[in-house]
Amino acid sequence: MVSEMTPTRRVMAAVLGGRVDYVPPANPLAQTTTELMQICNASWPKAHFDSKMMADLAAAPYEVCGIEAARPQFDISLEAEVLGCKLDWDKPDRPPVIGPAYTDPSNVTWPDNLEEAGRIPVVLGAIEELRTRYDGMLPVIPLLTSPFTIASHIAGVENMAKWTKTAPEKAHAFIEAATDFVIAYGKLQTIYGAHIVFLADPSASGDLISAETYREFVLPAHKRIAKEISCPQILHICGDTSKLLPYIKQSGIDCFSFDAVPVSYCRQVVGNEMSILGSLDVIDLMPNGTPEQVYNRTRECILQGADIVGTSCGLSFGTSLENLRAYVRACKETQIPKCDDVEDLIRQIGIGIGKNMRENVLGGMKE
């Protein structure tokens, strides 16, 4: 076993397909739980406007629970705000976009100096603070909202869904403008010290668009980002992306973070063409499960082929520190299966689940 890897070296190796000593618990999804916010004296909405508080809250999962990643920027609306959308800051957590800002893609514009635009300097300051504070030892993985989601914000979700069918040139033009912006902002994040960028494209969910729509409208944007931003990238898409996977693996992005897709199926479809990150349920398991259940599910993810274990979406505020620590402990204690053994291990897990059901649910009844 390799020993003494730093968290940064470990997660960079995992994302890029290298060797690691254990599967990193490097969750880049939002982890702003109530307990973590209390421990580092963070609050809404101040954490969205204060670089020091943003850095403290981004580092809290590592400092308190050992989660090996720091993710500054806690909302997916910053990019739309810089492009002209209004946000609802009266919400108790992350600000949503109130409504679209454009009807014509040729009018989409943003300030020449992005380093000074909106809340971008706050995020860049947090990235710089984290990079300096940990001397590069802890991977800094800032959020970068992706083009289809930004286009849906600035043009309207329903409009974008409609235009992919009725006005494809208009839909393409909005996505192209959003892609230009994402690449410019992503390059800034890299310059300020991001080790990896975390691309969130929830509007491209397989629950909202078809595989054909992803291939025609979204995939070209993801390919441009993979080509034009220099640091490694993780792409997250919510919901059931099983039908999108054959196209996602063509994106050139290094790692895919998924939601409602079995780990073994994701591994099987993407093969070794990209790393995979997933997938602890945030609806029931993380807020309501026991530490033992979280530990066992984390172990399952590793044995079924996950290169990194993280959550399926942002954590709910009520997720306990005990469950977060159980997830970290399972990553460190589970031996990584050899690639050739993954299918056999999946079968063994299936046998184990069946045995457990007979013993605990059916009272040891034999067939």
Side-chain angles (χ1 to χ4, degrees):
M1 176 180 288
V2 183
S3 61
E4 302 300 329
M5 299 182 84
T6 67
T8 296
R9 183 180 164 197
R10 183 176 297 110
V11 72
M12 292 282 276
V15 166
L16 296 174
R19 61 191 173 88
V20 294
D21 48 357
Y22 56 80
V23 169
N27 190 21
L29 281 299
Q31 300 165 89
T32 51
T33 70
T34 299
E35 287 180 290
L36 290 173
M37 291 182 72
Q38 290 172 344
I39 288 171
C40 66
N41 295 315
S43 61
W44 299 139
K46 190 175 179 181
H48 296 285
F49 293 95
D50 183 312
S51 289
K52 170 67 165 50
M53 184 177 289
M54 180 177 285
D56 290 345
L57 185 54
Y62 172 71
E63 293 290 346
V64 179
C65 303
I67 295 172
E68 298 179 356
R71 174 262 176 86
Q73 187 175 328
F74 309 120
D75 67 303
I76 60 170
S77 304
L78 178 152
E79 292 83 354
E81 185 183 27
V82 173
L83 290 170
C85 290
K86 302 295 183 185
L87 308 187
D88 182 359
W89 284 102
D90 290 331
K91 295 295 181 183
D93 43 38
R94 301 173 185 91
V97 173
I98 292 175
Y102 299 97
T103 57
D104 186 335
S106 66
N107 294 329
V108 177
T109 185
W110 55 86
D112 291 335
N113 186 3
L114 271 188
E115 288 180 88
E116 301 298 328
R119 290 182 284 129
I120 285 178
V122 177
V123 178
L124 297 179
I127 293 171
E128 199 168 35
E129 162 74 20
L130 289 162
R131 188 73 184 230
T132 302
R133 185 186 301 181
Y134 292 98
D135 196 22
M137 181 275 294
L138 183 66
V140 183
I141 312 177
L143 178 81
L144 188 60
T145 309
S146 291
F148 192 70
T149 297
I150 294 176
S152 298
H153 283 159
I154 64 174
V157 176
E158 292 181 358
N159 288 335
M160 280 299 296
K162 179 178 65 179
W163 291 336
T164 58
K165 303 297 181 185
T166 62
E169 291 184 358
K170 192 171 188 177
H172 276 297
F174 266 114
I175 296 168
E176 187 72 13
T179 306
D180 290 341
F181 178 84
V182 168
I183 290 171
Y185 181 30
K187 286 181 176 179
L188 271 181
Q189 292 185 341
T190 303
I191 291 169
Y192 274 76
H195 291 95
I196 298 165
V197 293
F198 181 67
L199 301 152
D201 217 348
S203 294
S205 168
D207 295 328
L208 301 175
I209 64 173
S210 67
E212 290 70 28
T213 299
Y214 177 85
R215 176 177 55 81
E216 179 180 349
F217 292 92
V218 186
L219 180 59
H222 289 167
K223 284 185 172 180
R224 272 196 63 198
I225 292 169
K227 183 178 180 181
E228 297 186 35
I229 296 179
S230 61
C231 73
Q233 298 144 22
I234 300 171
L235 169 66
H236 176 81
I237 301 179
C238 299
D240 182 359
T241 50
S242 55
K243 293 182 179 177
L244 276 55
L245 285 172
Y247 300 115
I248 289 171
K249 73 176 183 179
Q250 299 173 20
S251 67
I253 290 172
D254 303 290
C255 180
F256 181 55
S257 164
F258 53 93
D259 179 4
V261 182
V263 177
S264 56
Y265 181 79
C266 189
R267 177 87 281 164
Q268 184 179 23
V269 174
V270 306
N272 291 321
E273 293 186 47
M274 64 193 312
S275 298
I276 60 173
L277 187 159
S279 180
L280 303 174
D281 167 62
V282 296
I283 303 299
D284 190 26
L285 175 68
M286 294 307 287
N288 303 319
T290 65
E292 182 181 13
Q293 289 171 323
V294 172
Y295 184 99
N296 290 337
R297 173 56 187 162
T298 302
R299 180 175 159 78
E300 274 186 21
C301 291
I302 295 169
L303 296 181
Q304 292 183 18
D307 298 293
I308 305 170
V309 180
T311 51
S312 59
C313 198
L315 286 169
S316 67
F317 288 163
T319 302
S320 69
L321 299 181
E322 288 74 18
N323 280 358
L324 296 179
R325 287 169 176 146
Y327 141 62
V328 172
R329 192 170 67 253
C331 283
K332 293 183 176 180
E333 294 177 353
T334 302
Q335 187 172 0
I336 301 172
K338 295 178 181 177
C339 292
D340 294 343
D341 295 341
V342 169
E343 290 191 3
D344 185 51
L345 285 165
I346 292 170
R347 283 193 292 273
Q348 290 183 32
I349 288 174
I351 293 169
I353 292 171
K355 181 180 179 183
N356 182 61
M357 286 182 63
R358 281 198 299 275
E359 292 177 350
N360 298 327
V361 180
L362 303 178
M365 292 174 61
K366 296 182 179 179
E367 294 178 354

